[in-house]
Amino acid sequence: MKFSVVIPVYNRTDTLRTAIESVLCQTFKDYEIIVVDDGSDLSVAQCLKPYMSLINYIRHDRNQGVSAARNTGIRAAKGEYIAFLDSDDVWLPAKLQKHNEIFQKGWLFCFSDEYWFKTDRFVNQTDKHAKYGGQIFSKILDMCRISPSSASMHRSIFLTCGFFDSNMRVCEDYDLWLRIASKHYIHYIQEKLIIRRAVTDDQLSKNIMFIESIRLVSLARLVRCKKLTLAQKKAAMTEINRKYSIVQNGIKRF
């Protein structure tokens, strides 16, 4: 098995089916699909009935958050590489094929560019959302620049860098990508291979008032672990100071 595709879901049915269909339409066929139902009501299981023979369906008895759901999928995975797909996103048909070509060259982590679709139309990304490849640790300290649905990686990465932090309901991807980028070079595929969709009002990152404070805590914890190089630590401390000022100014407004 080459790829394990992990799809976490919580009470989404309309977009979940198109997410699964986008995997089934991949030109590269050596994969398994793992859907982790994070304690949803019965509507999710009902909508998956036509796909049950095509997926590995795992259900949490209670809602534990997207980090725990992804971790469950990782632990159940049989593939050499793990790819993530959020239940409201879709892949374009060549996504896995392009990623496989990169992995054949020896890379352990890669991600691609993406289209953005919000509510009812495609929107342009701004310059501040620029993406990078290579030794990118210092370039992703400010925000999460890698969408989970665009990323895939060798399973060994989770042994050396850890899993998603199950205590984090948001910024869990920012937290893990920093740990990975501190140890590994990252390959960026400058081709739009996914559609990142925001068609409902339940995106977690939209509902957290002080999301920068969560990134600040994550970054401070990373610095304390003493596994960074001196250059990485200096860059992280500079960003910690910047984020602290942002959070402090935000608190003063209340």
Side-chain angles (χ1 to χ4, degrees), residues 98-99 102-103 105 107-116 125-127 129-136 139-140 145-147 150-152 184-194:
K98 297 289 185 177
H99 282 231
I102 297 304
F103 291 135
K105 298 177 182 178
W107 293 84
L108 296 179
F109 186 109
C110 71
F111 75 106
S112 72
D113 201 355
E114 61 203 16
Y115 292 103
W116 282 5
Q125 300 178 50
T126 63
D127 291 342
H129 296 106
K131 297 170 177 57
Y132 308 95
Q135 195 173 25
I136 66 171
K139 295 180 179 179
I140 62 172
R145 296 179 180 274
I146 303 173
S147 298
S150 74
S152 56
H184 297 280
Y185 282 79
I186 307 298
H187 187 90
Y188 170 46
I189 302 172
Q190 297 182 31
E191 181 178 350
K192 298 181 189 297
L193 296 175
I194 75 164

Side-chain angles (χ1 to χ4, degrees), residues 19 21 37-38 51 66 74 88 106 160 184 243:
E21 291 286 352
D37 182 348
D38 190 28
Y51 304 97
V66 68
I74 295 166
D88 53 348
T160 58
H184 297 280
K243 289 187 185 308

